[in-house]
Every structure is written in structure tokens, then in C-alpha cells.
Amino acid sequence: MWRSDRSLVGPLLPTRSDIDALNRVFSEAFTERYRRDGLSGVRVPYLNPAIWHYAIDDAGDGAMIWRDGRGELVAFNMVHRSGSEGWMGPLAVRTDRQGHGEGQTIVMAGVTWLQAQGVATIGLETMPRTTDNIGFYSRLGFLPGQMTITLQRDRLRDDGAAGIRLGALPRDAQVGAMASCRALAAVAAPGVDFTREIDLTLSHQLGDVTMMHRGGELRAFALWHTAPLAQGRGSDELRVLKLVAPDVETTMELLGAIEREAVIAGMHRMAIRCQTRQDELYAALLADRFRVHWTDLRMTLAGYAEVPPRGVLLSNWEI
């Protein structure tokens, strides 16, 4: 009698040759998730291979895949650490293997890896309308927290103050600038460090960092990408991934400088993911004609909650 292969081998480290398989599992799993949520017309596209390269390199040893007995990809979990901040994403299980415990296996492998790294925060983001996902993560010890709201502006302006682009600096100056970014992030949230993402963004040529100074000292910075997320699509959106600033006023000034960079780069849209803890910033973005585009629910493992930052700190938990 024929029996389906239920074996699960891993976690293993992915290679560049796994990107096509990662894309298939990613697209099919999330398309099926939308279908079960009543959005049957949505087809999730493959991710740009450059984004996968970045995700795998950023995760490092936290990039995990699982295979079946035939060597075919079953599941993956890209587990990231930004200093003391740990998070997971993207992660997915092949549709024919869902509902058999594989999801719990890959999530708990990520939790174990992050705990071994000594992080203070362990989190992930999921769609707030998807009660199955929220219930699943809750059973594994994750608690619902703030929302992450993606806001977009379609009509870009180029009249903002000019910032300094880290990628335009000589290499030795880049090293010093990244050290300043690390120190500023640690002031906002002790232990948080975005320099790995900054270095990989520059080396993979996905975007850059805009910095603002006052009196010769770094006042604020933001990491952004312009590389398209979807495979085969052109670059038309600048996405702010990480941002540190002392207050809302400085944040809005920094975003004006980034918007100017978006215009120079020929982008048609600018997006920023704002956690709802930053309610004053959220109100300022709406007043500045950003519009709500998407929502995610932020969940953290019990005992590993986020520490409220000093000032403004935005950190996406998606690639």
C-alpha cells in the first residue's frame, strides 16, 4: 500500500539553490491562507530572489529549512536577530503538510535558537484577521500586542531637508557611521542593533540609510529599501524598515529627507510600518497625507516582550 512521506528532516541551512523551492512553498502557503480567509482571488507572487538572498544572509544560522524523505522542501523559518531583538519571518509550511505539527516544530525551533542567542525580545507578525494563526501562535505561548500599520504616500515631494546617505560615504566613514547608528539605537532601546541589516542592505544594493545630524552628532537615521519585493516587478516603492529618532518632530523631518531620496531614485510610492505604540507619530503621518495600506498583529513570546523605546524606534518584523 502506498503511503505518503511524513518524514521531516531538519533544521538545515538553505543555499541559493533552494530559492525556487522557497518561493513555491511561500507563494502556495500564503495564497492558501488568503483563500481560507475568503480572499480566493488573491495570488501571492514569488519574492524577488534578491530579497531571499538578504533574508537568508540576515538570518545567518537562524535561516532554517526542513525537507521530506525525498529531499523536497517542506517548511522554512527565517529567524533574525537585531542585537537584543529577535523575530521570525517569513515562515511557512507546504500546504500538503499543514495540520500535522510541522508548524509547531518550525516555530519552536526558532524560539530555541533565539533563546540560545540571549535575546530580550522574541516576536513575529501575523495577519490580524486570521484567527487560526493567532490561535496557533497563542497556543505556543505568544501573546498579542500592538498593531503594525503600513502607511503609504503616493504623491511624493522633493522639498524635504537633505540628509546624509550612509552608502555615499567612503568605506572607512561608513564603518564609523554604522557605529554611530548602533549607539543611537541602543539609547532608544538598550541592546538593539541594526548594523547587520545596514551592512547587508548596502552590500546587496537593496537600498540605503538616511542620517540626520545636529551639532556634528547623529540625531536620527532610517534604513530603507527600494528593491522590488515581488519577482519580475520593477522598483517603484521605497520602504522604511528601521528608524530611530528622539521625537516625532525629528522623525517627520527625517522622513522628508527620505522622501526626497525616493523622488531622486524615481520611486512612485513611499511606505513606512508604524507600530501603534507610536500613536503621536501615527497621527502625524495621517496628517501628512499618508494613508493606511495594511495591518499586522505583533505577537511576542511570554517573558520576551518588547521594551517601550525612548523616543521613536520603528523596527519591521517582515523582510
Side-chain angles (χ1 to χ4, degrees), residues 254-272:
L254 175 62
L255 291 176
I258 297 169
E259 191 170 350
R260 181 176 180 173
E261 294 283 359
V263 173
I264 293 171
M267 301 293 104
H268 299 122
R269 290 189 306 276
M270 175 175 166
I272 182 167

Side-chain angles (χ1 to χ4, degrees), residues 141-152:
F142 286 82
L143 304 174
Q146 57 187 315
M147 299 282 287
T148 293
I149 301 181
T150 302
L151 299 107
Q152 282 186 346

Side-chain angles (χ1 to χ4, degrees), residues 42-80:
V42 174
R43 177 70 186 177
V44 175
Y46 282 12
L47 283 178
N48 179 355
I51 300 298
W52 277 117
H53 294 166
Y54 172 79
I56 291 169
D57 288 349
D58 184 51
D61 290 342
M64 304 179 187
I65 62 171
W66 287 259
R67 301 185 187 279
D68 60 22
R70 298 185 300 273
E72 299 294 327
L73 188 72
V74 171
F76 64 86
N77 188 0
M78 298 295 142
V79 188
H80 308 267

Side-chain angles (χ1 to χ4, degrees), residues 106-186:
I106 72 170
V107 171
M108 295 314 296
V111 167
T112 299
W113 186 85
L114 287 171
Q115 288 173 330
Q117 300 297 308
V119 300
T121 297
I122 298 177
L124 52 82
E125 290 183 341
T126 189
M127 293 180 286
R129 64 175 289 150
T130 307
T131 55
D132 288 349
N133 279 10
I134 296 171
F136 166 73
Y137 291 124
S138 296
R139 289 191 295 275
L140 298 182
F142 286 82
L143 304 174
Q146 57 187 315
M147 299 282 287
T148 293
I149 301 181
T150 302
L151 299 107
Q152 282 186 346
R153 186 213 287 287
D154 295 325
R155 297 181 179 180
L156 301 183
R157 306 165 301 194
D158 61 357
D159 57 354
I164 295 175
R165 200 157 46 81
L166 193 154
L169 300 175
R171 182 57 190 171
D172 57 343
Q174 288 182 18
V175 173
M178 282 192 278
S180 296
C181 289
R182 181 190 301 114
L184 189 64

Side-chain angles (χ1 to χ4, degrees), residues 273-293:
R273 291 169 55 79
C274 180
Q275 282 76 61
T276 49
R277 176 184 287 128
Q278 302 286 344
D279 52 356
E280 291 184 23
L281 174 60
Y282 178 71
L285 291 168
L286 292 177
D288 202 33
R289 298 185 179 179
F290 279 81
R291 60 182 178 83
V292 173
H293 176 70

Side-chain angles (χ1 to χ4, degrees), residues 151-287:
L151 299 107
Q152 282 186 346
R153 186 213 287 287
D154 295 325
R155 297 181 179 180
L156 301 183
R157 306 165 301 194
D158 61 357
D159 57 354
I164 295 175
R165 200 157 46 81
L166 193 154
L169 300 175
R171 182 57 190 171
D172 57 343
Q174 288 182 18
V175 173
M178 282 192 278
S180 296
C181 289
R182 181 190 301 114
L184 189 64
V187 171
V192 170
D193 181 2
F194 299 137
T195 53
R196 181 181 179 86
E197 291 95 330
I198 292 172
D199 188 50
L200 288 171
T201 291
L202 296 179
S203 63
H204 286 282
Q205 299 182 329
L206 301 178
D208 213 319
V209 174
T210 297
M211 304 179 296
M212 301 198 73
H213 296 78
R214 181 174 298 173
E217 297 293 326
L218 182 66
R219 177 82 171 156
F221 74 90
L223 169 66
W224 45 266
H225 284 182
T226 55
L229 282 173
Q231 180 175 294
R233 296 185 184 175
S235 299
D236 63 355
E237 179 183 74
L238 183 150
R239 303 178 303 280
V240 177
L241 304 185
K242 311 287 184 182
L243 185 149
V244 178
D247 49 48
V248 172
E249 181 181 0
T250 305
T251 301
M252 297 306 292
E253 185 180 357
L254 175 62
L255 291 176
I258 297 169
E259 191 170 350
R260 181 176 180 173
E261 294 283 359
V263 173
I264 293 171
M267 301 293 104
H268 299 122
R269 290 189 306 276
M270 175 175 166
I272 182 167
R273 291 169 55 79
C274 180
Q275 282 76 61
T276 49
R277 176 184 287 128
Q278 302 286 344
D279 52 356
E280 291 184 23
L281 174 60
Y282 178 71
L285 291 168
L286 292 177

